[in-house]
């Protein structure tokens, strides 16, 4: 009788433990359903919005028609758009992490210091392509604080055609003045 009562007591205890475990699992499942699932849906939604915004920004940067170079606070290239590759002839991989002065003629490379250039103002330099050719270049600089660091955004344009047009106008003006 003692063993039978003991066995019943153990069976009863096991049944209670099983019910307790099942209730605990059910509680965890309900918490997951009502707390974590909505959070997951929200995170997926926000992630989708961030990806869409990033893709939109990339589309703008890639089609703006200006060479865009982004420098970190140490003056190293951290981003470029496709126009940079077209104008200078370097690939993205060849420029990322590098000093931007490799894109300028030697004399201009020495005077290029983004931290000393006035944001928004235009500056003329001589650019140097990967093949060594030099060309007139106009750069506009902007600064952006991102968290605890600064980015320098440089918009560049090969102004060779503009210089040719200006030279042509000067020659025509001189010819008219001489006539």
């Amino acid at each position: 009788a003692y063993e039978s009562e003991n066995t019943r007591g153990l069976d009863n205890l096991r049944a209670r433990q099983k019910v307790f475990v099942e209730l605990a699992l059910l509680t965890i499942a309900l918490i997951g359903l009502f707390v974590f699932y909505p959070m997951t849906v929200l995170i997926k939604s926000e992630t989708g919005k961030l990806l869409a915004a990033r893709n939109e920004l990339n589309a703008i940067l890639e089609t703006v028609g200006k060479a865009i170079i982004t420098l970190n606070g140490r003056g190293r290239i951290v981003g470029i758009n496709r126009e940079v590759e077209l104008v200078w002839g370097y690939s993205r991989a060849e420029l990322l992490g590098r000093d931007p002065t490799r894109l300028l003629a030697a004399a201009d490379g020495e005077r290029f210091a983004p931290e000393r250039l006035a944001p928004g103002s235009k500056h003329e330099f001589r650019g140097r392509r990967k093949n060594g050719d030099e060309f007139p270049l106009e750069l506009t600089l902007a600064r952006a604080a991102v968290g605890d660091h600064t980015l320098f955004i440089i918009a560049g344009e090969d102004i060779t055609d503009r210089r040719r047009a200006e030279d042509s106008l000067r020659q025509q003006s001189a010819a008219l003045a001489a006539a």
Side-chain angles (χ1 to χ4, degrees):
Y2 174 76
E3 204 171 288
S4 164
E5 193 176 300
N6 223 5
T7 304
R8 270 183 284 170
L10 279 175
D11 287 345
N12 193 8
L13 180 62
R14 285 187 187 124
R16 281 191 220 160
Q17 286 176 336
K18 184 178 176 186
V19 168
F20 177 77
V21 168
E22 288 172 353
L23 284 173
L25 289 173
L26 182 60
T27 302
I28 291 170
L30 288 172
I31 289 171
L33 181 63
F34 292 111
V35 175
F36 296 116
Y37 179 74
M39 287 173 53
T40 303
V41 170
L42 179 63
I43 290 169
K44 284 182 181 178
S45 170
E46 293 303 312
T47 301
K49 289 177 189 175
L50 286 173
L51 288 173
R54 185 188 73 189
N55 290 339
E56 213 172 274
L57 179 60
N58 282 341
I60 292 167
L61 290 174
E62 293 299 329
T63 59
V64 74
K66 295 262 187 187
I68 306 292
I69 303 167
T70 306
L71 308 178
N72 63 18
R74 294 185 314 275
R76 296 294 177 181
I77 298 171
V78 294
I80 66 167
N81 68 352
R82 178 81 177 120
E83 191 69 18
V84 172
E85 294 175 300
L86 296 173
V87 169
W88 276 276
Y90 288 99
S91 71
R92 224 173 272 268
E94 291 174 298
L95 293 177
L96 293 179
R98 306 294 179 125
D99 185 327
T101 57
R102 77 182 326 175
L103 302 174
L104 301 173
D108 284 347
E110 292 173 12
R111 70 182 181 93
F112 177 78
E115 64 280 356
R116 292 191 302 225
L117 298 175
S121 59
K122 295 182 179 193
H123 305 274
E124 287 193 21
F125 291 93
R126 296 280 308 158
R128 183 180 60 232
R129 298 188 204 311
K130 183 178 179 178
N131 67 9
D133 289 349
E134 292 186 8
F135 62 98
L137 174 67
E138 183 176 82
L139 300 178
T140 305
L141 178 91
R143 283 191 187 111
V146 180
D148 62 348
H149 63 280
T150 299
L151 290 177
F152 297 98
I153 299 95
I154 300 167
E157 184 175 6
D158 178 344
I159 56 172
T160 301
D161 292 339
R162 185 189 317 165
R163 288 289 172 254
R164 284 184 187 139
E166 289 170 353
D167 288 346
S168 177
L169 284 173
R170 272 194 287 283
Q171 289 171 0
Q172 289 173 6
S173 292
L176 286 173

